[in-house]
Amino acid sequence: MMSTQPPIREEIPSGRRPNAKAVAGVAAAVVVVLGTTIGVLSARASQAATMLSTNDLYTLHPASASPTLVTQGTIESKTEVQASFQGPGGRVAQIDVQVGQHVKAGQILAQLDDSSTKLAVDQARATYEQAVAAVAEARASMVEAGGGLLTAEGNVGQAKAGVNAAQAGITQAQAGVNEAEGQLNQAKAGLTKVTEGPTAAEKAVAEQNVQAAEVAVESAQKEYEDALAAYNDRTQAYQQLVAAQNAYNQAKVALQTAEQNQQANIAAAQQAEQTAEQNLQIAQTQLNNAEQKDGSITEQQVQQAYQNYQNALSNYNAYQQQFGTANNPYAEEVQSYEAIYQGLEQGYEELQNAKQAYSAAQAQLAQAQSQLQTAQTAVANAQAQYQAAQSALQAAEQAYNDRTAEQTAVDQALAQLNAAKANLATAKAQYQEVVQPPDQGSLQSAQAGIQTANAGVQNAQAGVQAANSKLQAEIAGLQSAQGGLQEALGSQDAAQAQLQAASAQEQAAQAQLQQAELNESYMTLRAPVSGVIAAKDIEVGDTVQPGQTAFVIDTQVYEVVFPVSVDQLSEVHAGQQVTMTVPGLSSTLRATIFRVDPTPIQNNGDSYEVEAIVNQPPANLKNGMTGQVTVNLGQVKSQFIIPSIAIQSWNGQEGVFVYEPHAKNSAQAGLPPHVEFVPVSYTPVNGYQDVVSGNLQSGDQIVLGEGAFIVGRNGQEDEN
């Protein structure tokens, strides 16, 4: 509700009330003044304010073109019903009835030559079956690609384990080199000792070396035992495996539940969507009525009218205080401006109420469509979660079974323990050599030890080279496995694209098959009602046109006759169901379309006449009754409908200004922060709304007129 100051109620001397033309003239003048003001403000859009009031914005919501046709129809009592072929027409191949013969509703009357339509059906069916086979083949390729991906991932895991093992081998081989070099140094020291003899300091050092080696053995023994315990403890990996198994089972149950409930959820969502569409149609009608009645009244117009009324009232009171109540020249002006103000205020409130109802209906429809989309994608989401849980379970199983890292740690700890024991043995031997007196045998033994130690160093270095070669081979294997994984991923993407393309072709082929089957059904003419053949206007071999009368059936029926515009003529055809509400009748009439007149209604070239037979007419149905007719047209089309005032021209293009309050700066020069210009194409719906298409999304806020850029929150020009 607009907040305006209530008018001052005072006694106004009686006089001539303003006529409707005077009120309309004043209102038009107000609109011209406001329009001029907006134009001036638009010229200064580059000085726009960075924050806009919600009254200057319109939030986009996906609207839907009505799936129904609503019009006015008339009841006509018919003693004769014309039966005519629908569809493309053709050559008469067979006539199954004669004049005077009794027929029942649905009985075959005649048939056209359907060789071409049957051929089209066969071709369309073959194309559709090929498309279905292509979809099945694409799905099989998708499954095969998924298996290849799992195999490639397993190969990568094995290759990584090989690289880790090779790296552990290098570490172990290097430890052997270090040990051999240590033994060589010890052998050299032993030879020196044998040659020169031990000293007291050497004895002390040898004793300290033995003690240090013993401590190192104890530490290495502790590390080996810890690594072995960690290798044997698999509690954490098992817990992760159990958790992954439970998640997989839950995802599987969720997928089964989603598949079981999908149809029911979709049906409920579709029912909610249908209800929302009906409410939107009602709100649209009410809004149209309000627009036709009150026009496009703005809050500024009402405020200006109120200010004019206050000015006139002030002049009236001033004259009355100075000259008295007789012959006040401002009395008629006060009455005129008061009438204008009251009329604009009432019309504005009616228009705002209708817009609010229409917006609420749009929101209800958007929510229903969202629920339908959620119901339709529930199985796909559950399938994705199931596949993710399956992959997680496979990873947990692989982690549980892969003990490469633990084994490597045990091997390294054991190697270090053996090295520590060897060092201890060497330290003890050196100590014995230090404390024992040298002899010729010791000298020869020390020299032989040097030779043995040299050979050990060479063997250990060869082991390091072999370990390095193995590591390079394992790395090459890992790179090959990773290449196979990338190839498998590419195969899966290609299979996914192939499946999407095949599905699209399947849908197109199915639509062509349905159209071909519909054309084939048009080749057979059936009696729309029961009765007697009163006239036959065709013969075998004749070529008939769509809508051409073939038979006249003598019967007593009621028809609903209503017009259809040329824009919707292609969506109306025989067999569609029609409902009609007639004032005075307690029940809704139901009828079936049996004829669409192919020639325009006389003096109305944009409309065509449609006839539908009333099913089970009530006893109180009378010729000439009128009422609202609703035809179900089928598919719903989503689109954006916006106020016409939002369409602006900027830099030679037509489009809308989109307001984004969270954006730091505009990416387009000449526009204020938070504002972007988006080019659109549009089609007028009525005098105040347009259907637009372009780079827009639901929830976008568009500016209602460029002048809003430079108007601050207090209604004054923003100097920023």
Side-chain angles (χ1 to χ4, degrees):
M1 176 65 68
M2 177 191 64
S3 60
T4 57
Q5 182 180 354
I8 300 175
R9 301 296 181 185
E10 295 187 6
E11 292 297 330
I12 304 299
S14 60
R16 181 169 57 87
R17 307 295 292 180
N19 56 36
K21 292 183 178 180
V23 174
V26 174
V30 172
V31 172
V32 170
V33 172
L34 291 176
T36 303
T37 303
I38 292 176
V40 173
L41 295 178
S42 300
R44 299 179 56 193
S46 59
Q47 303 175 5
T50 59
M51 298 297 292
L52 296 179
S53 169
T54 55
N55 294 330
D56 298 323
L57 301 174
Y58 179 84
T59 303
L60 290 182
H61 299 287
S64 298
S66 174
T68 59
L69 166 66
V70 179
T71 184
Q72 289 295 116
T74 304
I75 298 294
E76 291 186 2
S77 175
K78 297 284 188 177
T79 58
E80 291 184 348
V81 173
Q82 296 178 345
S84 58
F85 284 97
Q86 303 296 314
R91 184 181 63 83
V92 178
Q94 179 179 334
I95 297 177
D96 296 284
V97 295
Q98 299 297 327
V99 175
Q101 180 178 340
H102 287 271
V103 295
K104 293 183 179 180
Q107 179 178 339
I108 296 177
L109 302 181
Q111 291 183 326
L112 299 180
D113 181 4
D114 61 351
S115 57
S116 60
T117 54
K118 281 185 176 179
L119 177 60
V121 170
D122 293 339
Q123 292 175 343
R125 183 174 289 110
T127 302
Y128 174 66
E129 291 173 353
Q130 291 175 357
V132 171
V135 170
E137 181 179 355
R139 286 176 177 161
S141 299
M142 190 69 182
V143 173
E144 182 179 357
L149 180 60
L150 293 177
T151 301
E153 289 174 344
N155 293 338
V156 169
Q158 293 177 357
K160 287 182 178 179
V163 170
N164 293 334
Q167 289 175 337
I170 290 178
T171 301
Q172 187 174 1
Q174 186 62 49
V177 170
N178 295 336
E179 180 181 357
E181 289 177 346
Q183 292 174 353
L184 177 61
N185 293 330
Q186 292 172 2
K188 291 179 178 180
L191 179 61
T192 301
K193 175 184 176 182
V194 170
T195 303
E196 298 179 356
T199 63
E202 289 176 344
K203 292 181 180 180
V205 170
E207 185 176 359
Q208 292 175 355
N209 289 340
V210 171
Q211 294 174 351
E214 289 175 344
V215 173
V217 169
E218 293 178 356
S219 177
Q221 182 68 38
K222 177 73 168 53
E223 292 180 357
Y224 172 71
E225 291 175 354
D226 292 343
L228 189 61
Y231 177 82
N232 294 327
D233 185 6
R234 308 182 67 189
T235 303
Q236 182 177 3
Y238 179 74
Q239 291 175 349
Q240 293 176 347
L241 178 60
V242 171
Q245 182 66 52
N246 292 335
Y248 170 78
N249 294 336
Q250 292 174 358
K252 184 176 181 180
V253 172
L255 175 59
Q256 294 173 349
T257 302
E259 290 174 342
Q260 293 172 357
N261 297 337
Q262 184 182 38
Q263 294 301 324
N265 293 339
I266 289 178
Q270 288 175 339
Q271 180 61 39
E273 183 183 34
Q274 183 177 4
T275 301
E277 289 167 353
Q278 294 173 352
N279 293 338
L280 180 62
Q281 181 64 39
I282 294 173
Q284 177 71 63
T285 302
Q286 292 175 346
L287 180 58
N288 291 342
N289 293 338
E291 290 286 350
Q292 293 174 0
K293 178 182 177 183
D294 302 315
S296 300
I297 300 176
T298 65
E299 182 178 3
Q300 290 82 359
Q301 290 177 265
V302 177
Q303 292 175 346
Q304 183 63 47
Y306 175 73
Q307 186 61 46
N308 294 339
Y309 166 67
Q310 290 296 312
N311 293 338
L313 186 62
S314 176
N315 293 335
Y316 173 83
N317 290 335
Y319 184 90
Q320 182 175 343
Q321 291 175 1
Q322 184 174 1
F323 302 105
T325 59
N327 298 326
N328 192 322
Y330 296 103
E332 183 175 352
E333 184 181 55
V334 169
Q335 293 175 349
S336 298
Y337 279 115
E338 182 183 24
I340 292 172
Y341 166 65
Q342 292 176 349
L344 289 176
E345 183 182 37
Q346 180 180 358
Y348 179 80
E349 291 180 355
E350 292 175 353
L351 185 60
Q352 295 306 308
N353 292 336
K355 288 182 177 179
Q356 291 175 1
Y358 180 74
S359 298
Q362 286 181 316
Q364 180 188 8
L365 178 58
Q367 182 180 5
Q369 290 175 334
S370 176
Q371 292 174 351
L372 176 58
Q373 184 177 7
T374 300
Q376 290 173 337
T377 59
V379 171
N381 294 336
Q383 180 70 35
Q385 294 176 356
Y386 171 74
Q387 293 176 349
Q390 189 177 40
S391 299
L393 177 58
Q394 293 173 350
E397 290 174 345
Q398 183 178 359
Y400 182 76
N401 295 326
D402 185 4
R403 308 180 67 189
T404 303
E406 293 82 355
Q407 183 63 54
T408 301
V410 171
D411 294 342
Q412 291 177 347
L414 180 59
Q416 292 174 356
L417 176 59
N418 292 332
K421 289 180 178 180
N423 290 336
L424 176 59
T426 301
K428 288 180 178 180
Q430 290 175 348
Y431 178 76
Q432 292 298 326
E433 291 176 356
V434 169
V435 298
Q436 292 178 358
D439 55 19
Q440 186 63 32
S442 298
L443 178 61
Q444 294 176 351
S445 175
Q447 292 173 341
I450 290 177
Q451 294 176 353
T452 301
N454 279 325
V457 170
Q458 293 176 355
N459 291 334
Q461 290 174 342
V464 171
Q465 293 177 353
N468 278 322
S469 299
K470 184 178 181 180
L471 175 62
Q472 294 303 318
E474 293 293 345
I475 291 176
L478 175 60
Q479 293 174 345
S480 177
Q482 289 174 335
L485 177 59
Q486 293 300 320
E487 182 178 354
L489 288 171
S491 298
Q492 187 182 47
D493 293 341
Q496 179 68 33
Q498 179 184 1
L499 178 58
Q500 292 176 349
S503 298
Q505 292 176 354
E506 179 188 16
Q507 294 176 357
Q510 185 177 22
Q512 292 176 353
L513 175 58
Q514 292 173 348
Q515 182 61 46
E517 290 174 342
L518 179 63
N519 291 337
E520 167 62 17
S521 68
Y522 287 150
M523 297 296 103
T524 300
L525 176 61
R526 298 179 181 273
V529 293
S530 299
V532 178
I533 301 297
K536 178 170 67 71
D537 297 334
I538 60 173
E539 298 293 342
V540 174
D542 290 351
T543 299
V544 297
Q545 302 298 326
Q548 177 181 337
T549 300
F551 298 93
V552 177
I553 303 176
D554 186 4
T555 184
Q556 181 66 39
V557 297
Y558 284 98
E559 295 181 2
V560 179
V561 180
F562 57 92
V564 174
S565 68
V566 66
D567 296 333
Q568 294 179 303
L569 183 62
S570 61
E571 303 178 61
V572 178
H573 55 80
Q576 285 178 319
Q577 297 301 306
V578 174
T579 59
M580 180 179 183
T581 56
V582 179
L585 296 182
S586 59
S587 60
T588 300
L589 300 180
R590 300 187 180 278
T592 304
I593 296 177
F594 75 92
R595 182 172 182 270
V596 179
D597 194 333
T599 59
I601 299 175
Q602 189 174 4
N603 299 327
N604 188 357
D606 292 334
S607 297
Y608 294 77
E609 186 174 84
V610 178
E611 300 177 27
I613 296 177
V614 178
N615 306 327
Q616 299 179 351
N620 56 345
L621 186 63
K622 302 297 182 184
N623 184 45
M625 286 184 170
T626 60
Q628 179 174 289
V629 175
T630 302
V631 183
N632 186 359
L633 298 179
Q635 181 111 24
V636 178
K637 301 178 181 178
S638 297
Q639 55 193 0
F640 287 117
I641 299 179
I642 67 171
S644 300
I645 192 174
I647 301 293
Q648 299 291 331
S649 178
W650 191 70
N651 285 346
Q653 291 182 302
E654 288 188 311
V656 296
F657 291 100
V658 178
Y659 175 64
E660 175 51 62
H662 302 296
K664 294 183 178 180
N665 294 295
S666 174
Q668 297 169 320
L671 290 180
H674 316 297
V675 176
E676 296 287 344
F677 180 78
V678 178
V680 299
S681 58
Y682 64 95
T683 303
V685 176
N686 44 45
Y688 58 93
Q689 289 179 317
D690 297 323
V691 177
V692 298
S693 60
N695 190 20
L696 298 174
Q697 297 180 355
S698 178
D700 284 349
Q701 292 183 306
I702 60 175
V703 181
L704 295 175
E706 187 181 8
F709 290 168
I710 60 173
V711 177
R713 305 179 75 89
N714 60 355
Q716 303 297 322
E717 286 191 23
D718 186 2
E719 297 300 327
N720 296 325

